Every structure is written in structure tokens, then in C-alpha cells.
Amino acid sequence: MQLHDLEKKFQEKIDKEIKIEPKDWMPEAYRKTNVRQISQHAHSEIVGMLPEGNWISRAPSLKRKAILIAKVQDEAGHGLYLYSAAETLGTSREQMIDDLHSGKAKYSSIFNYPTLTWADMGAVGWLVDGAAILNQVMLCRTSYGPYARAMVRICKEESFHQRQGFESLLVLSRGTPEQKAMCQDAINRWWWPSLMMFGPKDSESTNSDQSMKWKIKRKTNDELRQSFVNMAVEQVKLLGMTLPDPDLKWNEATKNYDFGEINWEEFWAVVKGNGPCNKQRLAARNKAHKEGAWVREAALAYAAKKAAREKAA
Ligand code: BYC
């Protein structure tokens, strides 16, 4: 079959909502886009463990500590499902991890911000996981089968993450004046970076058009960001807190909340490696990888011994 016919058939399959599976024919650009997005997503989960891991030993109670440990472990699991999904497209996990460690691969801008107080654990759960869920619910219907299936489980766990974050902030918001101030401060610092998670404006988004045609993405960056704003404006009222944007205003004509301009200069600086914690995050990942080398070597040596024993038997 000619390339043109293969591409036509491929698009027909997408249009009929038939999932693309690893051994199916696919355009090279579709494969590449999925490897890029899924591996970036996996890296985000893994790097995302760092800002929260920072608070495990300082959680204010046994209950909070147990919840935080569970959440961070879930994120490790999400990273692993996603690396496995990306590997089905023919790129090895080693390659993807090397690209992360060398600084070649991207991961979500949000994890380059510091977690300064305990309230940040609540704000990350409520806002960062809240933003992530909106994006990820859409990805449960993405066209590449292994990615879509990985997302179903991830979304279930992610919704627990968001609830625990909101509940933790709710406790602080009903606490002492210091706790209330800490809660508001965390919301102030995480609000704008959370809006940036959705990526550049649609007009600046280089990948969106093609990804929408291939149904890798089903909603644009701006559509998801708007849903997030609409949701957060209502939820922040329950906390008795405010969002740090004087331009937030209900727009009766569009039935959405209008909001202020994102600092895109800051966004691109963070994406390009110059955010507050980029260097720290990569150094931590590289260190962990180096220190874990013996575990990988031991696992390989054990597998080789087992295989040799089975062969001899
Ligand atoms: N940060 O054309 P665009 C989590 C890049 S973790 C950095 O719109 P696309 C959690 C983009 O890659 C959840 N880079 O791209 C874990 C592209 O550059 P390249 C993370 C960004 O792919 C622990 C360029 O900008 N979620 O839940 O169509 C604790 C132009 O953008 C960002 C995912 O990864 C950014 N924020 O759309 C708590 C979801 N935004 O690659 C929580 C999967 C954009 O061409 N990913 N860029 O060099 C996606 O849905 C899409 O990749 C995006 C961007 C919506 C993020």
C-alpha cells in the first residue's frame, strides 16, 4: 500500500474512534508525538515526587504523613505505567531516562517551583493535581490504546490526591490566624504556575492542531485552562480564601470566568531550564539514578542466574 493510502486509512480509524495499538501501522510523526508526550508525562510524575517528598519527614501528624507517602508512591507508579506505555512505541526506558537526566527531555514546568511550607502540600494537591486531572480525564480517551488505558487508573488515584489536598487546606483555612495566612500564601504562590501547566495559549501551541486531528488531545490548552479556572473560583469560596488575580470576573456572555494575563516570560524561562528549582530537580534525579545503580545491577544479575538455572533444569 502507498504511504498516502496508509495515512488515509489511519485517519479513518482515528475518526471512527478505533484505538491505535502498538503493532498497528502509524505515521512516524504520530509515533514521535506520542513518545514525546507520554515520556514527558512520565518524567513529570517522577520529578513531581521531589517537591512533595521534601515534606514526608516533616508532615504534621502520622495521618498526614501516611497520606503523603501514599500519594508520592502513587506518582512513582504513574511514572512506571507511562514509561511502559511509551516503550510500546519502540523507545527504550533507558533512552527516555537518559534524555531526562541530560536535560534534553521536558517535564511539567510546575515541578520547578519550591514547596516552602506545609500548606504547599495542600495547594499542590488541590491546584496541581486538580489541573492535572482535567488534562488527564481527557487523555483517558486519547487515541493511542496503551496511553488511554494507563490514564484510567491514574485518574482514579489522581482524584484522591486532589481531595486530600483540598481537605488539608480546608483544615488550615479553619485554623489559627497563622495557619490561615499560610494557606492563603500557598494558594497565592501556586495559582499562576498551575495555570501554566496547561501549556502555551492555543495561538502559540505548536503541537495542538495535529494532536487534535489525531485525537491524542481532545481539548485545547485554553479550553482546559478555562475549565480549571471556572472550577477553582467556586472551590476557593469554600476555603474562604481568594485567588491572586484582580481580573477574575464572571462573564455572562461566555458563561466563564475571565482571568488576567499569564506571565509567559516566566513560563518559557521555566520550560527552558531557568526556573527556581530546575537545576536542583535534575541534580536530585541524577543522584538518585547513580545511587540506585546497584539495585539495577543486582536485579539483572538475579534474572541472569534464574534464567541460567531454568535452562539447566
Ligand atoms: N511544562 O504545543 P504545546 C502530575 C511544551 S504530572 C513544560 O501546547 P502539547 C503530578 C510542550 O512540551 C502531570 N513544557 O504542546 C505529578 C511543547 O514543547 P515540545 C503532567 C510544556 O504537547 C506529581 C511546547 O511547550 N501532565 O499530574 O501539545 C504530583 C509547546 O506546547 C508545558 C502531563 O504531562 C509545561 N507545562 O501540549 C502532582 C499531561 N506545556 O515538546 C501531579 C500530558 C507545554 O514540542 N501532556 N510545554 O518541545 C499534555 O497533555 C501536553 O503535552 C501538554 C502540552 C498539554 C502539557
Side-chain angles (χ1 to χ4, degrees):
M1 219 187 279
Q2 298 282 324
L3 183 63
H4 171 76
D5 296 328
L6 284 166
E7 280 174 354
K8 199 166 154 248
K9 271 199 139 48
F10 177 82
Q11 189 61 49
E12 278 167 15
K13 243 169 119 175
I14 300 260
D15 294 341
K16 281 190 203 147
E17 301 291 338
I18 300 172
K19 291 270 180 268
I20 307 302
E21 297 298 337
K23 289 185 178 157
D24 295 349
W25 185 88
M26 61 186 84
E28 269 320 294
Y30 177 85
R31 184 185 301 278
K32 226 172 126 194
T33 299
N34 267 296
V35 170
R36 175 185 67 78
Q37 181 169 321
I38 304 170
S39 63
Q40 284 177 3
H41 195 162
H43 300 328
S44 304
E45 298 282 355
I46 298 300
V47 177
M49 295 163 74
L50 296 170
E52 295 185 307
N54 182 34
W55 280 92
I56 290 176
S57 59
R58 291 178 287 162
S61 68
L62 182 61
K63 179 181 124 186
R64 294 289 176 200
K65 185 171 178 148
I67 293 172
L68 191 56
I69 291 175
K71 179 176 193 287
V72 173
Q73 281 179 344
D74 284 351
E75 275 140 18
H78 298 174
L80 299 186
Y81 316 149
L82 289 164
Y83 283 128
S84 299
E87 277 189 303
T88 63
L89 289 157
T91 302
S92 72
R93 186 176 304 202
E94 285 75 17
Q95 182 62 53
M96 292 183 264
I97 289 175
D98 281 354
D99 288 348
L100 170 67
H101 292 167
S102 69
K104 190 174 155 207
K106 290 191 169 75
Y107 58 87
S108 182
S109 49
I110 193 76
F111 302 116
N112 293 306
Y113 290 84
T115 42
L116 302 178
T117 71
W118 169 252
D120 287 24
M121 294 303 94
V124 167
W126 175 44
L127 296 173
V128 176
D129 290 276
I133 293 174
L134 277 175
N135 173 287
Q136 294 179 153
V137 164
M138 155 189 93
L139 291 173
C140 292
R141 295 189 302 121
T142 191
S143 57
Y144 186 56
Y147 192 20
R149 292 189 286 273
M151 289 320 302
V152 173
R153 178 147 171 203
I154 291 177
C155 280
K156 286 188 186 152
E157 291 173 349
E158 216 63 85
S159 86
F160 148 68
H161 295 177
Q162 191 196 18
R163 276 153 189 251
Q164 70 80 34
F166 189 79
E167 192 268 342
S168 173
L169 288 185
L170 195 58
V171 171
L172 291 176
S173 73
R174 292 172 180 169
T176 63
E178 288 82 2
Q179 286 171 324
K180 287 182 186 171
M182 191 164 78
C183 180
Q184 183 63 62
D185 168 65
I187 294 170
N188 291 350
R189 282 182 292 104
W190 288 93
W191 174 247
W192 290 105
S194 298
L195 292 191
M196 294 176 196
M197 281 178 77
F198 295 96
K201 278 190 198 171
D202 292 350
S203 54
E204 310 288 319
S205 167
T206 41
N207 302 297
S208 275
D209 278 353
Q210 186 58 65
S211 289
M212 296 282 286
K213 278 188 197 120
W214 278 332
K215 299 191 179 176
I216 294 173
K217 284 166 94 161
R218 295 197 178 240
K219 288 188 182 169
T220 71
N221 300 358
D222 286 336
E223 282 168 355
L224 288 170
R225 190 169 11 245
Q226 184 66 62
S227 306
F228 177 71
V229 170
N230 292 350
M231 180 192 81
V233 172
E234 294 306 323
Q235 290 180 343
V236 81
K237 291 180 192 162
L238 298 172
L239 294 174
M241 300 280 145
T242 56
L243 295 172
D245 180 357
D247 296 327
L248 269 176
K249 207 170 145 221
W250 177 250
N251 182 329
E252 191 50 40
T254 63
K255 303 268 184 247
N256 284 309
Y257 280 95
D258 290 339
F259 54 98
E261 186 64 20
I262 289 169
N263 181 345
W264 293 111
E265 232 170 84
E266 175 181 323
F267 170 73
W268 289 115
V270 176
V271 171
K272 288 181 182 145
N274 300 315
C277 299
N278 295 60
K279 290 180 184 67
Q280 193 182 325
R281 300 291 184 239
L282 276 196
R285 283 312 316 157
N286 273 292
K287 181 168 178 275
H289 193 67
K290 208 164 137 205
E291 288 175 0
W294 70 272
V295 180
R296 294 189 295 280
E297 281 161 20
L300 283 175
Y302 176 74
K305 258 193 209 169
K306 199 170 162 224
R309 233 181 280 131
E310 275 163 14
K311 208 173 160 198

